[in-house]
Amino acid sequence: YKLASDSIAVKRGNDNGGQNCGNLIIEQRKSLGKGGFCWDAAFCLGEFVIQKESEWNPDYYNYYSNLDDATASTAKKTNVLELGAGTGLCGLMIAKATNSHVLLTDLPELLNLMESNVVRNYCHPRDSPLFKNEKVEELRDDLITTSSENAKGTASAHVLRWGTPDDYTIAPSNDVIIGADIVASLYDPIALAQTLYDLSGPTTKIYISSKSRLDRPHELFWEEMERLFHRVEKVFNI
């Protein structure tokens, strides 16, 4: 899923029942480095979490999903926090296909890209700054929007730096935390595990995708996760 620099990736979205949720259009920016690209880990995690909605969103999945669209739209949205979102591919896939509000987070230098992709997919074209030649930064407080297409969820973007508790106030209650290959360049495995712990509650489910790595930092990360959390399960070849 890595494309040429500053290109657009387009994916047709479907929910767990095969319903069309509209196109997902993602901009990439080479100038931002690894965080500015779409990667396989994000796509794989998005597909996996969508397929597992019955586990992390059981009330909606077991009751509202069988009702008409008007009734289903009144259901409370599950809060999903994405760490290291980059382009926002994974989180926006989930927001398109599930009854959730997804908060995309990453470092300050990636905020504009995340916001641009939120606006591109979750604002009606007539309301979008991309169609008015306005600056996305000026609409930062208005980025929690509903899609004009068939999306089931909503999305927004914000800065969240790992190991910076002051940033955690933007996500005080998280039902689900996701991270696509956030362990790829792991320089402080203990801090990352602690961040996941600090942002989670007693019933939070955490989904992380990554390539299998056997170096010591990644071993430390999983050891710390097993120390902090009641249950840690590894799923291979999804």
Side-chain angles (χ1 to χ4, degrees):
Y1 248 75
K2 182 183 176 186
L3 305 179
S5 62
D6 299 331
S7 60
I8 302 292
V10 181
K11 184 184 185 300
R12 172 68 68 179
N14 295 298
D15 67 6
N16 201 20
Q19 178 182 337
N20 175 24
C21 297
N23 286 335
L24 181 62
I25 303 173
I26 301 295
E27 176 190 357
Q28 303 185 117
R29 294 181 191 171
K30 180 181 179 181
S31 61
L32 296 175
K34 291 181 179 179
F37 286 109
C38 296
W39 296 92
D40 289 341
F43 176 77
C44 292
L45 181 61
E47 291 275 297
F48 181 81
V49 174
I50 290 168
Q51 292 300 317
K52 294 292 183 179
E53 186 180 7
S54 61
E55 294 183 1
W56 56 266
N57 202 5
D59 292 341
Y60 175 84
Y61 191 84
N62 294 328
Y63 177 69
Y64 285 96
S65 62
N66 297 318
L67 303 179
D68 61 89
D69 291 344
T71 304
S73 66
T74 65
K76 181 181 181 295
K77 293 195 175 349
T78 299
N79 290 320
V80 178
L81 171 67
E82 181 173 14
L83 299 180
T87 64
L89 171 60
C90 179
L92 293 176
M93 285 176 62
I94 293 166
K96 281 277 187 180
T98 68
N99 184 67
S100 61
H101 174 71
V102 179
L103 176 59
L104 311 175
T105 68
D106 213 311
L107 296 172
E109 55 266 32
L110 288 158
L111 180 59
N112 180 263
L113 177 58
M114 292 189 295
E115 289 176 331
S116 294
N117 282 326
V118 169
V119 170
R120 182 172 283 105
N121 290 281
Y122 286 86
C123 287
H124 190 281
R126 288 175 299 180
D127 300 324
S128 170
L130 299 175
F131 291 82
K132 290 183 176 181
N133 296 318
E134 296 176 9
K135 292 182 178 179
V136 172
E137 292 92 330
E138 295 173 355
L139 298 183
R140 188 161 294 159
D141 293 335
D142 301 316
L143 282 175
I144 299 179
T145 59
T146 55
S147 172
S148 60
E149 296 187 69
N150 303 316
K152 289 186 173 181
T154 57
S156 59
H158 210 285
V159 171
L160 192 154
R161 295 161 292 185
W162 308 344
T164 306
D166 288 346
D167 288 357
Y168 301 170
T169 57
I170 64 167
S173 178
N174 302 301
D175 301 303
V176 179
I177 300 174
I178 59 175
D181 218 8
I182 55 176
V183 298
S185 300
L186 199 53
Y187 59 90
D188 194 339
I190 306 301
L192 175 55
Q194 186 64 50
T195 297
L196 289 166
Y197 181 82
D198 291 342
L199 288 165
S200 62
T203 61
T204 302
K205 289 182 170 56
I206 301 173
Y207 297 91
I208 297 172
S209 65
S210 69
K211 293 182 178 180
S212 296
R213 297 178 176 91
L214 300 177
D215 54 80
R216 186 55 182 157
H218 292 88
E219 291 175 356
L220 286 173
F221 171 73
W222 290 114
E223 288 172 4
E224 186 66 5
M225 290 290 286
E226 290 171 351
R227 186 186 73 82
L228 291 171
F229 291 94
H230 175 68
R231 179 186 175 192
V232 176
E233 179 181 355
K234 293 182 180 180
V235 179
F236 296 94
N237 299 321
I238 62 171

